[in-house]
Each structure stands twice: as structure tokens, then as C-alpha cells.
Amino acid sequence: MTIWRDVAGAAVAPRREPSAVTIGAFDGVHRGHQALLARTREAGLPVVAVTFDPHPTAIFAPDRVPKALTTMERRVELLQQHGADEVRVLAFTPEMAAWSPEEFVRRALVDALSVRAVVVGQNFRFGARAAGDVASLSDLGTSHGFTAEGLALVGSGEPWSSTRVRSLVADAQMREAAHVLGRPHEVVGEVLRGQQRGRELGYPTANTPIDDSYAVPPDGVYAGRVVRAGGDAMAAAISIGTNPTFGEHERRVESYVLDRSDLELYGETIRVELVDHLRPMVAFDGVDALLAQMADDVAATRRAL
């Protein structure tokens, strides 16, 4: 059985050099996750971040899989930005879910990663029926030659968590979500050719479809940025919804890059950062009213950014 793979899906060989390991779903790589990575670095060893695909809930309760905050590719990138020397993706399967805590430690940590130190959140559970906790991980570490630490959950007021971010995004509280994440929440998609109605109105937009498996805020207009693959970030007024003025029904993200009519983004995969919620989505009585509101949205975007 292939246990480990990289983000592209290729199998990864066991590590022979000692490592410090942190384990988690790491959805969003928020500030709580960043604290885990920072603590793991204090072990003075190469840091390996272990994450899961699919999310374990997909095996245990597929009808309750949470909305994802990032793609797997973006998760790996963020983990590396915040201190992981290597990211390994645990290909989570029903067979693996049946491993005892002892088997999980032996196969996933000792044999595969030559682990010497493990740092997890204090509520970390592992093994069949979630029988393992930080105390049993520490006991197993004593037997297998590694230390284990459960880090207390951190945050201002309410602990920083992926669940908290999803709740804030669902309520369009984008600045509050950014506080937990340490950066704006974002959606990712490939720019597709649309009706080009925005171009005709003087506001050309980059249109990306919405993936229902990801956390996308409610319909409305947002201030944010379009980020291209090379990292170029451009201020944008962003519409999320179905374009009710023209009777369209497909939900999508439409991003107007401020002061740019020369961009050709078709076929590119972009990140759309959502900085602030400006207003709800409404239908207008004709093009003139829509154009007037779009001008106001652009001005509001400049102020918000």
C-alpha cells in the first residue's frame, strides 16, 4: 500500500534522516497551525508537516465533510511558507482508518519519517475509533524514541480554528476571517470566457466558476485582489453570485481588476483574495442603474483596500 504521496500524487520514499513532525488537516493553515509549525521548528530538526487527503471525515462521515478553505496545492505552499521543510500527504483510506494508535505511530511516524519529536494540537486524536490522544502519543514516543507535545489552542477570545474561519466566511465577515488566517480568505479557479457583458459595459471581469466543495462567502460584492500564478496581486472589485440583473443562474466569481482593460487572463488559474464585504447582491432596473452602482463599488473598493 502506498502510504505517502506528494501533492502531485507521486509516492514518496521513507525518510532516513531524523525529523520533527507536526500532524493535522491544516485546512487554511491559519494562525493556530502556524503556531504548531513554529513550535515544531524549535526541536532543531528538519520539519515535516503531515496532512491528509481526503479529509478523514470523508471516510468516517462523508455527509459531513467540511467545506475546504484551500486547495491541496495551496495548503502545501502555505505550510512551506510557514516553516515546513517538507510536506507529506497521508493518503487516508478506510484501511488506514482501522489502524490502532500503535500501528499508526509505527508505520506513519517511526518507519516512514524517522521521527524524533512530534508536536500536535492538544485535542489531537488518532488511530481506530480515535482511540489515541496526546497522552498515548507521548507513551508511544517513550517506546519508540521520540518526544510528543500537545500545544494548547491559541487565539484572541475564541481559539483560532478552521471551523471558526468557515463560520466567518459563511457570514461574509472577511476581515475577521483574515485575522484568524493571517491573510485574506481566497477562492481559486481557472478564468473562463463568459458573456463578456462586463467588457461591453467598460468593466471587463475575470470569471471563475465556484466549486461547491470549497468555502465561498455569500452572494455579494467584495473588495479584494486578483493574484496571478507568479504572485502579481492586483486590486479588484469582486462580484460573487448569479448576476440577477441579467437573469443568469450560474453562480460564479467575477473580478474586475481596477483600472485595467488590457488583461488577458483566459485559461489562467488565479487566486481571488476577499478582503472586505461591500454590499449584498441585488438586481437593478436597467443598465444605467447598474453602471452607477459599479462606479460606487469601485470607489468603495479603493477605500477598503
Side-chain angles (χ1 to χ4, degrees):
M1 179 198 315
T2 297
I3 299 175
W4 298 104
R5 63 176 178 80
D6 61 19
V7 70
V12 181
R15 282 184 59 91
R16 298 306 177 198
E17 299 299 321
S19 68
V21 175
T22 184
I23 312 168
F26 295 124
D27 190 19
V29 193
H30 54 67
R31 292 170 69 186
H33 297 143
Q34 294 164 32
L36 282 174
L37 288 159
R39 181 63 174 169
T40 309
R41 289 212 69 82
E42 294 178 12
L45 293 166
V47 172
V48 179
V50 173
T51 190
F52 306 97
D53 189 39
H55 192 287
T57 307
I59 302 299
F60 299 123
D63 58 329
R64 299 203 304 271
V65 177
K67 299 283 188 181
L69 297 174
T70 58
T71 64
M72 178 59 73
E73 291 80 3
R74 182 65 169 149
R75 189 190 312 176
V76 170
E77 179 182 4
L78 289 166
L79 287 167
Q80 292 172 333
Q81 285 181 8
H82 290 288
D85 297 297
E86 184 179 354
V87 179
R88 294 215 174 187
V89 181
L90 191 61
F92 204 75
T93 64
E95 292 78 15
M96 189 174 296
W99 287 358
S100 67
E102 160 69 29
E103 188 173 11
F104 177 88
V105 163
R106 178 174 52 79
R107 297 180 67 169
L109 300 180
V110 177
D111 294 348
L113 299 178
S114 299
V115 65
R116 295 293 181 271
V118 179
V119 179
V120 292
Q122 65 179 10
N123 58 350
F124 177 70
R125 309 290 299 200
F126 66 104
R129 301 183 184 276
D133 58 12
V134 174
S136 56
L137 182 64
S138 182
D139 290 342
L140 288 164
T142 300
S143 302
H144 289 283
F146 65 84
T147 62
E149 178 183 1
L151 197 65
L153 300 181
V154 293
S156 50
E158 189 171 341
W160 294 323
S161 70
S162 302
T163 300
R164 175 67 175 150
V165 175
R166 279 188 282 271
S167 176
L168 291 168
V169 169
D171 290 337
Q173 298 184 57
M174 306 317 300
R175 291 194 181 278
E176 293 82 355
H179 175 70
V180 180
L181 288 166
R183 66 183 187 284
H185 179 61
E186 60 195 27
V187 294
V188 177
E190 180 183 346
V191 179
L192 303 178
R193 191 175 296 274
Q195 300 292 328
Q196 297 192 309
R197 200 171 275 122
R199 186 175 298 274
E200 295 170 359
L201 297 174
Y203 294 92
T205 57
N207 300 328
T208 55
I210 289 177
D211 185 338
D212 288 337
S213 66
Y214 288 88
V216 178
D219 290 2
V221 176
Y222 296 79
R225 299 178 184 86
V226 167
V227 184
R228 304 180 78 173
D232 185 21
M234 302 169 288
I238 301 153
S239 170
I240 296 178
T242 59
N243 205 341
T245 299
F246 297 99
E248 297 177 3
H249 302 289
E250 180 187 2
R251 193 165 186 252
R252 58 186 177 273
V253 179
E254 299 183 56
S255 304
Y256 165 61
V257 177
L258 271 54
D259 306 319
R260 296 291 298 271
S261 60
D262 59 327
L263 290 172
E264 290 293 341
L265 300 176
Y266 297 125
E268 286 193 31
T269 296
I270 60 172
R271 299 201 320 267
V272 180
E273 295 182 344
L274 299 162
V275 174
D276 202 4
H277 178 234
L278 301 180
R279 63 172 177 85
M281 184 67 71
V282 296
F284 293 93
D285 294 329
V287 172
D288 289 343
L290 173 61
L291 285 171
Q293 182 61 60
M294 291 173 75
D296 288 346
D297 291 340
V298 168
T301 296
R302 295 188 197 280
R303 292 192 298 271
L305 297 179

